Amino acid sequence: MTKEIKVFAPASVSNIACGFDTMGFAVDRPGDELVLRRIEEKSIVIKSITGDDGCLTKEVSKNTAGLPIIELFKDFNLPGGVEIELHKKMPLGSGLGSSAASAVAAAFAMNNLFDLNLTNMELLPYAIKGEELASGAIHADNVAPCLFGGFILIRSYDPIDIIELPVPDNLYCSILHLDVKINTKESRKLLPTEVPLNLAIKHWGNTAGLIAGLYKNDIALIGRAIEDFIIEPIRGNFIPNYYKIKQAAYNAGAVGCNISGSGPSVFALSDNAETAKNISRDMENAAGEINIKTCSFVSKVNKVGPKIIYKN
């Protein structure tokens, strides 16, 4: 019987400009690590959290990693309890699915520690419940890519319909995170509830174009489709120097650039590793003009999702 497991769950880029709440993809780094340890007492305890600067609660029912574990214990009437160690390896409130990574890591670890043999589709609702704590809304554009890996389309939420999309092997993502706090719940309140028809038509065209570009292995088409006429004009105003950062990415060879999630992270796509590194450097330089702390990552699309680091 496995007594302890340590897992990794990746960060994810969501919305992808034209795919608000419906699209996202996983990246290789950063990500979260979680240790789950069996205990005899019938309790669930968060023993420690690192990398959060003391911001996250250890109250299990209010923690994005804790809630999926509570629900799995309840639904499967599991014996004993567990201790949780959560190691945050990415910035909080980054727009990179930090809360989703914690929720997915917890659900994935429980599935493997207790040999539940649940499929990703069966695990998904548990991870979504954890993510909902942070965002205040049910959406899976970070959770699903983190759990399934790859590039994901959420066609429907009721019932949930997940579509795994093909990804060009030479598609690279450069991510710039700025040390600015953006609250996802508050950010969502500012978004429009109605969209003019002319903007909706543009948006539908880009959404279809992005999907077509993935299937056709056409990175130029993918880049042309990375446009957002609805969300970016609002959220872009909360990211310092955003439009200069975006222009720097295009000048360095990006085919597309936009906001990841609710921000403040910015992602840019390109077709080779060298260009991706140059984009990352130039985005950092553009952000440096305003003296804000940044960190950056370059990655291909992570097609694996969460993984086991060790178990014993």
Side-chain angles (χ1 to χ4, degrees):
M1 179 178 70
T2 302
K3 295 182 178 180
E4 180 176 304
I5 189 169
K6 184 175 185 178
V7 304
F8 167 85
S12 50
V13 173
S14 62
N15 295 344
I16 327 296
C18 56
F20 180 71
D21 277 5
T22 63
M23 284 193 237
F25 62 83
V27 293
D28 290 328
R29 53 185 290 268
D32 280 356
E33 294 177 0
L34 182 138
V35 177
L36 205 56
R37 186 178 302 113
R38 288 179 186 258
I39 56 175
E40 291 184 5
E41 297 83 5
K42 196 165 182 62
S43 64
I44 301 169
V45 180
I46 298 179
K47 184 179 180 182
S48 64
I49 304 176
T50 64
D52 69 326
D53 294 326
C55 295
L56 299 180
T57 181
K58 290 184 180 178
E59 188 174 344
V60 181
S61 64
K62 295 182 179 179
N63 185 287
T64 56
L67 189 56
I69 292 173
I70 291 173
E71 295 296 324
L72 283 162
F73 262 96
K74 181 175 67 176
D75 287 355
F76 291 89
N77 194 26
L78 299 174
V82 291
E83 286 182 345
I84 306 163
E85 295 177 14
L86 177 60
H87 304 290
K88 300 298 295 181
K89 300 288 187 176
M90 70 171 94
L92 303 182
S94 58
L96 295 173
S98 175
S99 55
S102 296
V104 167
F108 178 77
M110 283 289 293
N111 195 34
N112 285 276
L113 183 65
F114 287 91
D115 296 319
L116 300 177
N117 297 315
L118 299 177
T119 65
N120 283 339
M121 278 303 298
E122 291 169 328
L123 277 181
L124 183 61
Y126 295 98
I128 288 176
K129 285 182 181 179
E131 162 74 350
E132 187 182 0
L133 277 177
S135 65
I138 295 176
H139 60 96
D141 51 337
N142 285 113
V143 168
C146 179
L147 179 60
F148 285 76
F151 203 119
I152 299 295
L153 167 67
I154 301 97
R155 189 204 64 81
S156 168
Y157 280 91
D158 187 19
I160 192 77
D161 189 1
I162 301 296
I163 301 169
E164 299 180 64
L165 301 172
V167 182
D169 288 334
N170 60 328
L171 183 64
Y172 285 81
C173 180
S174 305
I175 298 170
L176 176 72
H177 174 259
L178 298 90
D179 190 13
V180 178
K181 298 299 180 186
I182 294 179
N183 184 288
T184 302
K185 286 183 181 179
E186 296 303 314
S187 172
R188 291 183 77 88
K189 292 178 182 177
L190 300 174
L191 301 180
T193 56
E194 296 182 357
V195 177
L197 182 60
N198 66 317
L199 295 185
I201 291 169
K202 290 180 179 181
H203 220 71
W204 295 328
N206 280 323
T207 303
L210 177 53
I211 300 297
L214 291 168
Y215 273 97
K216 289 164 63 72
N217 204 43
D218 187 338
I219 291 180
L221 175 55
I222 292 169
R224 294 200 304 276
I226 303 294
E227 287 186 302
D228 177 5
F229 300 99
I230 300 170
I231 309 299
E232 183 188 36
I234 296 170
R235 287 182 167 170
N237 294 326
F238 293 92
I239 302 173
N241 249 27
Y242 169 65
Y243 291 101
K244 285 190 175 181
I245 292 168
K246 182 176 180 177
Q247 189 58 53
Y250 279 112
N251 291 345
V255 298
C257 179
N258 216 278
I259 302 166
S260 179
S262 58
S265 292
V266 179
F267 77 94
L269 301 180
S270 56
D271 62 4
N272 66 83
E274 183 177 356
T275 299
K277 291 175 183 177
N278 291 339
I279 291 167
S280 180
R281 178 200 63 212
D282 288 3
M283 287 197 299
E284 282 202 16
N285 289 340
E289 295 177 6
I290 47 174
N291 197 29
I292 288 180
K293 184 180 178 182
T294 63
C295 58
S296 59
F297 310 92
V298 174
S299 172
K300 283 189 170 185
V301 174
N302 177 342
K303 299 180 181 181
V304 176
K307 61 183 180 180
I308 296 171
I309 297 175
Y310 72 74
K311 61 179 180 178
N312 52 46

